Amino acid sequence: MKDLVDFRADILKALAQPTRLKIIDFLRGGERCVCEIFPAISEEQSNTSRHLSMMLSAGVLSRRKDGLKIYYAIKHPEILDVVDMVTLIVKQEISERHKLLKAV
Amino acid sequence: MKDLVDFRADILKALAQPTRLKIIDFLRGGERCVCEIFPAISEEQSNTSRHLSMMLSAGVLSRRKDGLKIYYAIKHPEILDVVDMVTLIVKQEISERHKLLKAV
DNA sequence: GCACTATATGATTATATAGTCATTACATGA
DNA sequence: TCATGTAATGACTATATAATCATATAGTGC
């Protein structure tokens, strides 16, 4: 049986991949259909579809049908907070490593 | 060449695994040596060591030597904010799925 | 029903990951 | 220097992941 720590890992895993991060970033503008998403991130339709359904089942995205098109959106605003906080950490890391290089 | 999106994925990946989340949770109490960490999370010493060095190189943990012992600590306080925010999301997801079940 | 568009899925491949056991490296103190 | 305690690494296995190509499914309008 899955416990809390596994669910937390699932959410984080759903964010922890470059293609998926690009999708998240693109969806900052609001819900978008698959046909808009995959050209925007320069990935194949099928690959994009897989990443989308992976994030859907992890609880990161929501999905809405409208005729032929399927619209995906970020489900919880906190997802963006998480991603933004990580960007902050990365920037700190990069500036630290930069200083270390200059110190040589 | 690695770009920003890859670094973000690296940080997230370093958090996106149950064993590593257990380590992070244990390190909330402050820095701990490997000999304290692996019994606390009930994992083998070698496996624990691998996860620790993975998180070290991702920039999630810091490391300090003191004689025979190696002390690891959470490097950026924002790491805990990220993990806590994810816990929040998980709780929202769980209560939502619970409601869906009851609705049947 | 048929053609068309949009999305999802099956099969496959290459690569990455987590874990285990055995061994090695390293620091300390007798 | 030798025995001991602590951490890291090599070799290996099983499993998961990301990506691709081809195909299937499903909604729309004729």
Side-chain angles (χ1 to χ4, degrees):
Chain A
M1 180 52 183
K2 250 187 194 181
D3 69 348
L4 232 149
V5 93
D6 295 305
F7 277 115
R8 291 198 287 161
D10 286 346
I11 299 267
L12 285 160
K13 216 183 297 175
L15 304 175
Q17 208 273 346
T19 304
R20 292 195 289 271
L21 280 177
K22 282 175 203 156
I23 293 174
I24 297 280
D25 283 339
F26 183 62
L27 292 179
R28 282 172 192 271
E31 68 166 15
R32 296 280 185 271
C33 68
V34 182
C35 59
E36 293 172 299
I37 298 171
F38 79 86
I41 62 168
S42 307
E43 285 291 333
E44 289 215 346
Q45 180 271 321
S46 65
N47 191 31
T48 304
S49 173
R50 279 185 218 281
H51 283 299
L52 288 168
S53 66
M54 188 272 203
M55 289 193 277
L56 177 73
S57 57
V60 164
L61 300 184
S62 60
R63 201 178 102 119
R64 183 175 71 84
K65 276 177 121 160
D66 183 16
L68 263 183
K69 300 194 178 174
I70 310 280
Y71 289 86
Y72 284 91
I74 294 169
K75 188 168 181 187
H76 306 273
E78 292 87 357
I79 295 287
L80 289 179
D81 297 339
V82 167
V83 170
D84 289 342
M85 195 106 55
V86 169
T87 304
L88 209 104
I89 296 167
V90 167
K91 284 180 180 164
Q92 290 180 36
E93 277 295 308
I94 288 177
S95 80
E96 185 198 317
R97 289 175 202 186
H98 195 67
K99 272 181 206 157
L100 284 175
L101 278 177
K102 277 205 287 190
V104 176
Chain B
M1 181 50 186
K2 249 186 197 183
D3 69 349
L4 232 149
V5 93
D6 295 305
F7 276 114
R8 291 197 287 159
D10 286 346
I11 298 267
L12 285 160
K13 215 182 300 177
L15 304 175
Q17 206 273 346
T19 304
R20 292 197 287 273
L21 280 177
K22 284 176 203 157
I23 292 173
I24 298 281
D25 283 339
F26 182 62
L27 291 179
R28 282 172 191 270
E31 67 166 15
R32 296 281 185 270
C33 68
V34 181
C35 58
E36 294 171 299
I37 299 171
F38 79 85
I41 62 167
S42 307
E43 285 291 334
E44 289 214 347
Q45 180 271 322
S46 65
N47 191 31
T48 304
S49 173
R50 277 184 219 282
H51 284 298
L52 289 168
S53 67
M54 188 272 204
M55 289 193 276
L56 178 72
S57 57
V60 164
L61 300 184
S62 60
R63 203 178 100 119
R64 183 175 71 83
K65 276 179 120 159
D66 184 15
L68 264 183
K69 301 193 179 175
I70 310 281
Y71 289 87
Y72 284 91
I74 293 169
K75 189 168 179 187
H76 305 275
E78 293 87 358
I79 295 288
L80 289 179
D81 297 339
V82 168
V83 170
D84 289 343
M85 195 106 55
V86 169
T87 305
L88 210 103
I89 296 166
V90 167
K91 283 180 181 163
Q92 290 179 36
E93 276 296 308
I94 287 177
S95 80
E96 184 197 318
R97 289 176 202 185
H98 195 66
K99 272 180 209 159
L100 284 176
L101 277 178
K102 276 205 288 191
V104 175

